[in-house]
Amino acid sequence: MERTIEGFLAALASPAPAPGGGGAAALTGALGIALGNMVGNLTLGKKKYAAVEEELLALNTEAEKLREELLELIDEDARAFLPLSRAYAIPRDDPERGKIMEEALLRAVRPPMEVMGKCARALELIALYGEKGSALAISDAGCAAALALAAMKAAALNVKINTKSMADRDTALELNGEADRLLALYGRTAEKIYQNITGRLV
């Protein structure tokens, strides 16, 4: 994805159906892990943190990969929505509409589910950045956690707007359950990071 921030925001604000909430969630997640990555890079090379340098290098490698994957999901989310947009336009009396709609809904739900999974991992990395990174940059780790959680919440809404219309209720409930599980578990992780860092700033 090669796009300026201004260009993406203009497209997001436009009446075009994509990019939308899923793409915004992916971008927010990328911002979160990028901030965590920054904490790592600001810590490297400082004698005080020499003992954790190798660990931070490994964290940075994974963080960079996560950031790229989240950026790729911006475009993947837009691509997944287009077939669904076309499916909604099929006349309701068309016998093929249900099958086409179901396939399109299932495709559209995958990118936000992936965003949730990647943001969950991002939060695990951010927790380590907050513990091991420079004390001068811990506020950035807290910001990173807040952004990653916001991305997960936004992605969860994009999962549920699609599962709501699914005829296959078993699949819909399974997807909703996984989204709820991730949000509950990593919501606690994010809040713990945020509160821990807030306490260290007093």
Side-chain angles (χ1 to χ4, degrees):
M1 184 196 77
E2 291 292 334
R3 183 184 290 134
T4 65
I5 292 174
E6 292 87 349
F8 178 78
L9 292 179
L12 193 63
S14 78
L27 177 59
T28 303
L31 289 170
I33 192 58
L35 265 179
N37 201 166
M38 185 185 79
V39 174
N41 282 321
L42 285 171
T43 307
L44 291 175
K46 292 184 167 59
K47 289 183 180 179
K48 181 179 178 181
Y49 300 97
V52 295
E53 184 151 320
E54 287 301 315
E55 188 172 354
L56 287 173
L57 285 168
L59 287 175
N60 283 351
T61 297
E62 187 173 355
E64 288 163 11
K65 183 172 183 288
L66 270 177
R67 186 179 76 241
E68 291 303 316
E69 289 170 346
L70 283 161
L71 288 176
E72 288 169 8
L73 281 166
I74 297 174
D75 286 338
E76 180 57 33
D77 184 76
R79 285 192 294 268
F81 180 76
L82 292 177
L84 181 58
S85 180
R86 290 193 292 268
Y88 275 116
I90 297 172
R92 290 189 175 273
D93 59 357
D94 188 320
E96 292 297 311
R97 186 181 193 272
K99 179 175 179 292
I100 294 170
M101 177 71 75
E102 199 73 3
E103 289 172 354
L105 286 165
L106 192 57
R107 179 178 174 184
V109 85
R110 285 175 184 150
M113 283 299 302
E114 285 193 48
V115 170
M116 292 194 75
K118 292 185 187 304
C119 286
R121 180 56 183 158
L123 280 163
E124 293 174 348
L125 300 188
I126 290 164
L128 292 171
Y129 280 125
E131 290 171 15
K132 301 177 184 300
S134 170
L136 298 175
I138 58 169
S139 62
D140 294 300
C143 292
L147 287 168
L149 179 58
M152 288 190 78
K153 287 182 175 181
L157 291 173
N158 281 271
V159 168
K160 292 186 175 182
I161 191 65
N162 289 306
T163 57
K164 185 176 186 294
S165 298
M166 285 182 176
D168 182 348
R169 299 315 300 160
D170 288 341
T171 297
L173 290 171
E174 183 179 345
L175 289 164
N176 287 347
E178 178 62 7
D180 288 341
R181 184 191 71 80
L182 287 170
L183 203 50
L185 178 60
Y186 287 94
R188 290 192 294 271
T189 300
E191 186 61 24
K192 183 178 178 181
I193 296 167
Y194 191 86
Q195 291 302 326
N196 177 271
I197 289 173
T198 298
R200 291 165 66 188
L201 295 174
V202 175

